[in-house]
Amino acid sequence: MLVGSKEILNKCKLNKAAIPATNFIDMNSARVFTSTAQKLKLPLILAYAQSHKDILSLEEAALIGKYYAEKSDTPVVLHLDHGEDEKTIKKAIDLGFSSVMIDASSKSFKENIEITKKIVEYAHKNGVSVEAELGHVGNNASKKIKKNDSIYTEVKDVIEFEKQTGVDSLAVSIGTSHGLYKGKPKLNFQRLKDINEVAEIPLVLHGGSSSGEENLKKCVENGICKINIYTDFIVAAYKAIDLNIIDDYIEIKNIADEAMRKVLINYFNVFNTDRLK
């Protein structure tokens, strides 16, 4: 069943649990994620990132996401991840996404509030939940990106941001990054605890892949209600295919599917998602 994220994330906040937000890039990955959640009778956030528009269009993502969400007996949130502009976000809402993220984290605090307020007003009129980001979760250093550009969330800004925007959930920056880590990630759990003490709405963590199970479990126990996972699925699928060199395309897809399924099952366990049953 297709649902919004607000009620589920509030339930997570009460039960010290989190839901995986699984980024899908095609019909296959969407099917794997939703069928796994249904088999376990657990809710899922099926996320589509605007940055993947060259792989899968917004229109295609809406069709695929709604199909599998409505087919499922368990709650599935169809979420736009890292919405970059008002036009795309409004279009996602009009196409049937039940949750959207406005990422204005690279803007000034004042601009972030102004942009987020506009999205919240439009989304709430249409019964859609909204996530925003305060601070900035950047990318890990690579050949293209020379350094991690993350900026920690300031505790003093959280209350004002919540009050002025009316947003439903808040992505915070405490040391995670998007993509694969070079070395071991260092998360600022004291910052997370301080934010959780003042935040009234559920908190979200981006850059969950390869952050370490112990770190993520600790994040959940300290207020994180949704954790985004993408890279771990892709890496697991690739490694499984690499270990099983065959010339059967269908079997290759089955091998990749099973690898991604195992990753999701593991994260459901790490995130205490079964507390929501």
Side-chain angles (χ1 to χ4, degrees):
M1 66 190 80
L2 179 64
V3 300
S5 61
K6 183 176 181 179
E7 185 177 337
I8 292 177
L9 293 182
N10 282 331
K11 190 174 180 182
C12 285
K13 187 174 175 67
L14 289 172
N15 290 277
K16 290 190 175 180
I19 299 179
T22 57
N23 280 92
F24 72 101
I25 54 172
D26 54 19
M27 184 174 284
N28 230 55
S29 50
R31 184 192 302 116
V32 169
F33 299 147
T34 53
S35 64
T36 302
Q38 178 161 326
K39 187 174 181 179
L40 297 174
K41 301 187 184 307
L42 294 173
L44 177 76
I45 295 176
L46 188 62
Y48 164 78
Q50 184 176 340
S51 60
H52 289 150
K53 61 183 181 295
D54 293 334
I55 303 173
L56 187 72
S57 72
L58 180 65
E59 291 82 0
E60 289 172 316
L63 286 169
I64 293 169
K66 285 192 295 181
Y67 173 77
Y68 284 111
E70 290 166 355
K71 184 181 178 182
S72 176
D73 294 330
T74 53
V76 176
V77 178
L78 179 56
H79 176 73
L80 176 67
D81 188 28
H82 287 287
E84 300 165 10
D85 60 272
E86 187 176 345
K87 182 180 178 181
T88 300
I89 296 171
K90 286 184 175 180
K91 188 174 182 180
I93 292 169
D94 295 341
L95 286 170
F97 278 73
S98 59
S99 175
V100 294
M101 177 193 184
I102 167 60
D103 184 359
S105 60
S106 61
K107 306 291 185 181
S108 68
F109 181 63
K110 183 180 178 181
E111 288 176 300
N112 193 349
I113 288 175
E114 290 174 353
I115 293 168
T116 301
K117 279 176 71 174
K118 288 182 181 179
I119 298 300
V120 169
E121 183 180 355
Y122 187 82
H124 284 182
K125 281 181 182 178
N126 289 275
V128 172
S129 311
V130 182
E131 172 190 331
E133 185 168 320
L134 190 56
H136 180 63
V137 178
N139 295 287
N140 284 293
S142 66
K143 290 181 181 178
K144 293 181 180 179
I145 303 165
K146 299 302 181 184
K147 63 178 181 179
N148 186 325
D149 58 343
S150 295
I151 300 170
Y152 278 4
T153 302
E154 294 292 340
V155 180
K156 62 181 177 61
D157 293 334
V158 172
I159 297 174
E160 184 180 354
F161 190 84
E162 280 187 16
K163 184 178 179 181
Q164 290 201 37
T165 63
V167 75
D168 301 300
S169 60
L170 186 65
V172 296
S173 178
I174 58 166
T176 57
S177 300
H178 296 106
L180 286 172
Y181 287 93
K182 286 188 174 182
K184 207 171 184 179
K186 295 180 180 179
L187 307 190
N188 190 330
F189 291 107
Q190 187 57 54
R191 179 65 60 93
L192 175 57
K193 289 176 182 178
D194 293 342
I195 292 170
N196 191 41
E197 282 183 6
V198 301
E200 294 185 5
I201 58 176
L203 302 178
V204 172
L205 188 72
H206 287 254
S209 289
S210 73
S211 292
E213 293 181 12
E214 188 176 334
N215 280 339
L216 294 179
K217 188 171 278 292
K218 194 170 180 180
C219 285
V220 174
E221 292 294 335
N222 285 282
I224 293 295
C225 300
K226 165 181 171 281
I227 301 177
N228 286 36
I229 305 293
Y230 169 66
T231 304
D232 278 355
F233 292 120
I234 303 304
V235 171
Y238 175 78
K239 286 182 177 179
I241 292 169
D242 193 44
L243 288 171
N244 295 273
I245 306 298
I246 53 177
D247 57 3
D248 185 330
Y249 176 67
I250 302 300
E251 188 56 31
I252 287 173
K253 288 180 69 173
N254 290 336
I255 289 168
D257 288 355
E258 186 56 29
M260 291 191 290
R261 192 184 312 280
K262 287 179 179 177
V263 171
L264 180 53
I265 290 171
N266 182 57
Y267 276 128
F268 273 132
N269 291 328
V270 173
F271 299 168
N272 301 326
T273 315
D274 61 351
R275 291 181 181 177
L276 303 177
K277 284 185 175 179

